[in-house]
Amino acid sequence: MSNNDLFADAARKVLADWCTPQVIREIESADSRSAAVGRLWQQLEETGLADALLAEEEGGAGLGLSEIFGVLEQCGAHALPLPLGETMLARAMLAQADMACPAGSIALAQGTVQADGGLHCALVRGGQVADSVLVQLPEEAGVWYLLSVSQAGLVPHALVLDASLTWAPEQLRAASVIRPGPQFDARSLQATVVAAQMAGAMRDVFQRSLQYANERQQFGRAIGKFQAIQHQLAVMSEHVFAARMAAQLGCSGDGIVPDRLRVAVAKARCSEAALVVTELAHAIHGAIGFTEEYDLQLFTRRLHAWRLTAGSEAYWQVLAGQALMSHEGMTLDLIRQITDVEALA
């Protein structure tokens, strides 16, 4: 069994037991959030998943991005409401920079320095449940700031658990400065994690839709027997498995640094597929799929939010197009470079 399969299986087991739809709803509820977050994060810490990218001498497993694809996929398949994938990357970056790692989860974000010298992050995915944020300033290549969420001014965002965070000038001056290297880019790192999570979430949405189509009776037979529903399921499956292959490519970088062109392909394909998959899933489920009590919306809401995280398909398609236009040689040569089979081994 490969490291990818081994750690993916460990993630599947702990998430199946501890990240149930009921727990997700508790975390999304402000009244029960703190206790539910603490219990779930404790279980994730005990499995050692958050430290998987650290070297063995630092208490980790010494894995690379390609070996944690299955873990990230399971995070999406269970709609994990905590930033485990980003924490794994953040801890590895801190270790490379010889910086102490704070306790708890760490989100990744891009920020801007305001006129008064404070720091503002317009959107932090999981900002309401993360303990810390590792922020990159676009104008300072290779420089990141590690800040505590509890010290920030927090404004809830559109998707529950996301937030806009602001730190005062004195808090920014007191923050730890991290220089893991210019090869680390917040947008690429986030897109890599999110693409893999989207692949897992879309696969779960497809499986739920397939099960519903086989169980829901209409006109004396399962709706899955009707050709129109079969066609919708076939289209869903094409997008789900194509997106999964693309997401695997996105995690095929060197060590923990993703290849930006492969990330572009992964995020563009997954974001593009998310629109089709969520639309067809709700079409098959009908009105029940939109209800708060039904579990489908826990996944489709996240897919719509993740689609825009670190740039939508339009942003990454432009980047891929620029690479194609600047590439010397045949288009097929570039495709072979992106889809190098050895990189996926």
Side-chain angles (χ1 to χ4, degrees), residues 57-245:
E57 58 269 21
E58 295 168 337
L63 303 184
L65 269 178
S66 60
E67 296 172 301
I68 64 164
F69 169 77
V71 175
L72 300 177
E73 186 181 30
Q74 287 300 317
C75 290
H78 292 84
L80 178 65
L82 303 180
L84 174 61
E86 295 186 359
T87 301
M88 296 168 76
L89 286 168
R91 290 187 177 182
M93 291 167 62
L94 290 168
Q96 285 199 11
D98 294 323
M99 296 292 295
C101 183
S105 61
I106 308 173
L108 300 177
Q110 287 184 307
T112 56
V113 177
Q114 298 180 298
D116 64 354
L119 178 63
H120 177 67
C121 293
L123 172 60
V124 179
R125 292 293 182 203
Q128 296 191 52
V129 290
D131 295 293
S132 306
V133 184
L134 194 55
V135 183
Q136 183 183 40
L137 303 183
E139 60 270 20
E140 296 184 41
V143 178
W144 299 66
Y145 293 87
L146 181 63
L147 298 118
S148 172
V149 173
S150 63
Q151 298 177 350
L154 186 151
V155 177
H157 222 273
L159 180 68
V160 64
L161 304 184
D162 293 345
S164 170
L165 300 178
T166 305
W167 290 269
E170 58 273 15
Q171 293 170 333
L172 178 59
R173 288 193 293 268
S176 299
V177 180
I178 315 299
R179 292 182 172 85
Q183 70 272 26
F184 291 101
D185 171 65
R187 191 185 290 270
S188 296
L189 292 171
Q190 275 193 304
T192 302
V193 171
V194 169
Q197 291 178 169
M198 292 176 76
M202 283 189 281
R203 193 172 182 179
D204 185 89
V205 167
F206 171 67
Q207 291 172 340
R208 289 173 183 271
S209 300
L210 183 61
Q211 180 179 353
Y212 182 83
N214 287 327
E215 294 176 351
R216 177 75 166 90
Q217 298 287 319
Q218 189 71 26
F219 305 112
R221 57 177 175 166
I223 63 173
K225 299 294 184 180
F226 293 99
Q227 189 174 12
I229 300 297
Q230 291 175 351
H231 174 72
Q232 290 176 319
L233 289 169
V235 172
M236 282 182 71
S237 67
E238 291 173 359
H239 281 278
V240 166
F241 289 98
R244 186 175 189 271
M245 289 298 296

